[in-house]
Amino acid sequence: MRTRVAIIGAGPAGLLLSQLLHDRGIDAVLLEARDRAYCEGRQRAGMLEQATVDVLREAGAANRLDREGLVHHGIHLRFAGRDRHIDFPSRTGGRSVTVYGQTEIVKDLIAKRVAEGARMYFDAPVTAIEGIDGDAPRVRFLRDGVEEVLECDLVAGCDGFHGVSRGAIPADVLKIHERVHPFAWLGILADVAPSTDDLIYAYNERGFALHSMRSRAVSRLYLQVDPDADLADWPDERIWAELRERLALPGWTLDEGPIRERSITPMRSFVAEPMSFGRLFLAGDAAHIVPPTGAKGLNLAMADVRVLARACEEFFLAGSRAGLDGYSDACLRRVWRAEQFSYWMTTLLHARGDADAFERRCQEAQLAYLADSDAAMATLAENYVGYTWAD
Ligand code: FAD
Ligand code: DHB
């Protein structure tokens, strides 16, 4: 089999790239290790920056997003019995964010790609990537247990943190930056109307809590838990009791409902540099991970792909490698901004069992400053909606 771009992974990054290349008339084949239902069922992120909404519109994959997405103009910061609403449009030149589940984006993109007859193979795990330092890379994968080879001009490694692409870059070229955080998030999806208009980020001595949503009838909530926490120790009543305590505010009540899904996610900050080598280009979680507190993981993946699609267009349609050569640096500037913001939000809002009284008092002082200072709120707002550079 032969194509121009071999895309590995049918997460949001690989699917969007497949769509953007198709729209530019560039042939691509997408290989995904898991089956379609698995890809469409994974509960993950839900907060979209304006730029993510825009690129999905550009890709013609935003019809349902435009109908069902919930536009949010700010967040609530809740701590020490206070609730501070931080408005975004007034601090960011009118920008907002949109809540729409990653699973829905994946379903919309897969449906569109299938309808357009894309060459997209599920249950097709990639086992090896060869020849990326030459001009004829080859991707080996399995179909029905039999090895096949995909010949291509470029490889897009969109295979997430546990994929094979990153490992194809020689170890002496790749620099890894990593922090494993001493907590995890227990996330639930519950059939109950959200008890809030905008998202609530809550700091509590018992730990962080986040109240998000998926629709007017479905709530998404998260709790900070120990990294080795076991779902078996978290029956429904314990989850709701903990959420009630951590989100508590006088005069406010948390409505409860049946829990439909639950999972525990470890928290990590991770960047692999450079994001490309020869003819291999990493995008999304394959290259970088942020702790979810800043809601950046999905948005970074989409931003990488926007840059990569444009670079492919320059390469195949205008014969210039400039965009591909600049790909890693262009992405890493945004990645490191988001890494720092996510790290800052994470340390600000989580309770650390190992923190001493001095560190805890500094954390409380920082929270109080954020709730009082317009400058501090503007910093949070412009990063949360997606920082953009003046140039
Ligand atoms: P992925 O979505 O991971 O997609 C990669 C795809 O590649 C997968 O379908 C995988 O099966 C496939 N693949 C892997 N190896 C191979 C192979 N060898 N061959 C072929 N295919 C392969 N972000 C937030 O902002 N907020 C959140 O609340 C949040 N929650 C998360 C919860 C979990 C459990 C996880 C794992 C991530 C979460 N994230 C969250 C992060 C966000 O979901 C990711 O940043 C986003 O999924 C990145 O998209 P991606 O396309 O780069 O990678
Ligand atoms: C969601 C997840 C996040 O990590 C976040 O910061 C905000 C919202 C969500 O899943 O809705």
Side-chain angles (χ1 to χ4, degrees):
M1 206 187 311
R2 192 181 151 76
T3 187
R4 287 188 147 181
V5 184
I7 303 174
I8 309 175
L15 288 165
L16 178 65
L17 183 63
S18 160
Q19 187 63 49
L20 293 177
L21 293 181
H22 170 81
D23 296 344
R24 287 162 170 78
I26 299 168
D27 188 61
V29 169
L30 188 152
L31 303 170
E32 163 60 48
R34 312 298 295 250
D35 63 32
R36 177 175 174 178
Y38 179 88
C39 294
E40 292 183 337
R42 273 179 301 204
Q43 286 301 327
R44 289 184 169 182
M47 180 59 88
L48 313 187
E49 295 173 359
Q50 186 60 50
T52 298
V53 174
D54 290 345
V55 74
L56 286 165
R57 283 188 186 139
E58 179 196 327
N63 291 345
R64 202 156 64 91
L65 162 60
D66 282 330
R67 276 200 315 275
E68 297 176 15
L70 303 170
V71 176
H72 285 246
H73 300 299
I75 59 165
H76 294 270
L77 184 66
R78 201 171 271 191
F79 65 101
R82 297 178 65 180
D83 185 288
R84 158 59 83 182
H85 185 261
I86 301 179
D87 183 73
F88 293 159
S90 62
R91 297 185 167 92
T92 60
R95 290 197 287 159
S96 300
V97 290
T98 301
V99 167
Y100 187 70
Q102 176 172 329
T103 47
E104 308 309 314
I105 293 177
V106 166
K107 281 184 212 159
D108 295 346
L109 283 168
I110 290 178
K112 187 164 162 57
R113 297 284 47 233
V114 168
E116 290 169 352
R119 283 200 286 167
M120 183 165 64
Y121 302 101
F122 291 93
D123 292 311
V126 169
T127 50
I129 304 166
E130 298 164 357
I132 51 173
D133 50 354
D135 53 14
R138 293 153 63 89
V139 174
R140 293 186 185 276
F141 64 102
L142 298 175
R143 226 174 7 146
D144 297 324
V146 178
E147 188 178 271
E148 295 191 27
V149 175
L150 175 60
E151 296 175 349
C152 57
D153 298 313
L154 302 177
V155 182
C158 305
D159 49 350
F161 184 66
H162 300 288
V164 295
S165 300
R166 194 173 58 250
I169 299 182
D172 58 344
V173 172
L174 206 61
K175 172 122 188 68
I176 303 292
H177 307 270
E178 186 168 26
R179 283 275 183 289
V180 177
H181 301 285
F183 14 77
W185 277 17
L186 191 167
I188 63 164
L189 201 62
D191 288 314
V192 58
S195 305
T196 180
D197 48 0
D198 281 338
L199 268 59
I200 305 169
Y201 285 79
Y203 167 79
N204 184 284
E205 281 173 8
R206 301 177 67 85
F208 170 73
L210 170 60
H211 188 333
S212 181
M213 61 200 70
R214 285 294 175 268
S215 70
R216 290 184 214 293
V218 178
S219 296
R220 176 93 166 129
L221 297 115
Y222 298 95
L223 279 174
Q224 174 189 345
V225 294
D226 288 336
D228 55 358
D230 185 346
L231 277 177
D233 298 327
W234 286 89
D236 293 17
E237 184 38 45
R238 182 175 178 204
I239 293 174
W240 287 115
E242 204 59 40
L243 285 166
R244 275 197 305 273
E245 283 234 29
R246 297 189 195 180
L247 290 164
L249 186 74
W252 180 85
T253 48
L254 174 65
D255 292 328
E256 298 170 19
I259 296 177
R260 203 202 296 171
E261 298 246 1
R262 71 194 74 211
S263 64
I264 291 182
T265 312
M267 290 177 77
R268 184 192 301 273
S269 300
F270 177 96
V271 182
E273 300 181 312
M275 285 173 56
S276 63
F277 179 78
R279 295 209 167 207
L280 170 65
F281 298 84
L282 304 179
D285 280 16
H288 41 74
I289 298 283
V290 285
T293 327
K296 291 288 167 232
L298 171 62
N299 292 297
L300 281 179
M302 304 308 243
D304 290 348
V305 164
R306 229 169 40 222
V307 179
L308 187 53
R310 241 181 274 131
C312 289
E313 181 177 350
E314 262 182 67
F315 182 65
F316 289 112
L317 308 184
S320 163
R321 247 206 91 114
L324 292 177
D325 290 341
Y327 170 74
S328 179
D329 286 348
C331 291
L332 284 169
R333 179 158 82 151
R334 184 184 301 99
V335 167
W336 277 111
R337 177 90 294 291
E339 286 289 344
Q340 187 279 330
F341 175 66
S342 306
Y343 184 77
W344 174 73
M345 285 282 277
T346 300
T347 48
L348 177 73
L349 288 163
H350 288 73
R352 286 197 65 143
D354 59 346
D356 63 18
F358 180 86
E359 286 165 318
R360 262 200 303 277
R361 299 289 282 144
C362 283
Q363 190 176 356
E364 288 160 12
Q366 177 65 33
L367 278 163
Y369 174 61
L370 183 54
D372 291 334
S373 157
D374 230 20
M377 286 186 267
T379 292
L380 185 147
E382 73 173 2
N383 280 279
Y384 197 96
V385 302
Y387 186 72
T388 48
W389 283 263
D391 58 332

